[in-house]
Amino acid sequence: MSKENILQAAALIFQEKGYHATSMQDIADAVDLKKGSLYHHVESKQDILFALLNEALELILERLEFVAEQNFPPEQKIRQATRAYFSFLAENPSLSSVLLLEYRSLEEEYKKLHIPRRDQVDQIWQELIAEGASLGVFQDIEPGLVSKIMLGVLNWTITWYREDGPLSPDQLADQFTDLFLVGLLTRNNR
């Protein structure tokens, strides 16, 4: 049994039951371990939650940093970042659910470590938006506000997106991007 197997099982259970309703026994049962044996792999339920949040952030940051480094026009960077972010959510529903809904369950010591990492995601979006504004492609709108609106819309998709739906993740991401860009682009660039 690996820690990764335990984390995957825990993510599924957290998604289904929520962090607080999940016991260590639930996680042990899911991976066919005795509860005592589970503690050879993880220290606590908080340790599991924190590891899941870190894993999710690492995957998202890796994708967004790759897009930010590309030499694309600002509107293309926003499109590619939206695709990268939404594809993460679609490909990792349990991990996404834990990241977006269960971070509030972190104890203070873990929150102090988590929040700055989470803020890095928002910072990348803000930089992409500010870059477009500085080049005169986007309106001069507060990047922090735009970032929060974009992430709010994208994050909420975890409640309704279905893999068997009529649109692929890229098609959905492109439609979101089209809606955002109409609002972001200056009148001359529409």
Side-chain angles (χ1 to χ4, degrees), residues 41-156:
H41 301 279
V42 294
E43 291 179 29
S44 65
K45 195 165 72 161
Q46 276 289 298
D47 180 49
I48 293 171
L49 178 58
F50 187 65
L52 289 169
L53 295 174
N54 279 340
E55 180 182 344
L57 288 174
E58 277 302 314
L59 293 170
I60 290 170
L61 286 167
E62 182 179 293
R63 291 174 188 215
L64 291 178
E65 287 167 350
F66 176 79
V67 171
E69 293 168 0
Q70 300 307 304
N71 191 21
F72 295 143
E75 62 274 22
Q76 187 62 28
K77 280 189 179 183
I78 292 291
R79 182 172 306 280
Q80 292 304 319
T82 303
R83 279 183 165 198
Y85 192 86
F86 190 74
S87 68
F88 166 80
L89 297 176
E91 293 165 11
N92 302 282
S94 297
L95 199 54
S96 298
S97 177
V98 172
L99 176 67
L100 299 173
L101 301 176
E102 299 298 343
Y103 72 92
R104 292 182 186 109
S105 299
L106 282 175
E107 294 170 0
E108 268 319 299
E109 67 187 78
Y110 287 105
K111 260 188 197 165
K112 288 177 184 175
L113 299 171
H114 171 72
I115 300 298
R117 300 265 305 132
R118 186 193 69 192
D119 289 349
Q120 288 178 345
V121 172
D122 185 52
Q123 186 61 40
I124 291 172
W125 283 100
Q126 287 186 46
E127 289 169 3
L128 294 175
I129 294 159
E131 178 185 357
S134 72
L135 294 172
V137 177
F138 298 159
Q139 296 182 49
D140 190 17
I141 298 175
E142 170 55 39
L145 175 63
V146 176
S147 170
K148 284 174 184 35
I149 292 168
M150 290 179 74
L151 287 171
V153 169
L154 288 169
N155 290 344
W156 195 247

Side-chain angles (χ1 to χ4, degrees), residues 168-182:
S168 72
D170 280 350
Q171 289 171 318
L172 282 169
D174 285 345
Q175 287 194 20
F176 289 156
T177 305
D178 291 343
L179 289 170
F180 284 121
L181 286 177
V182 167

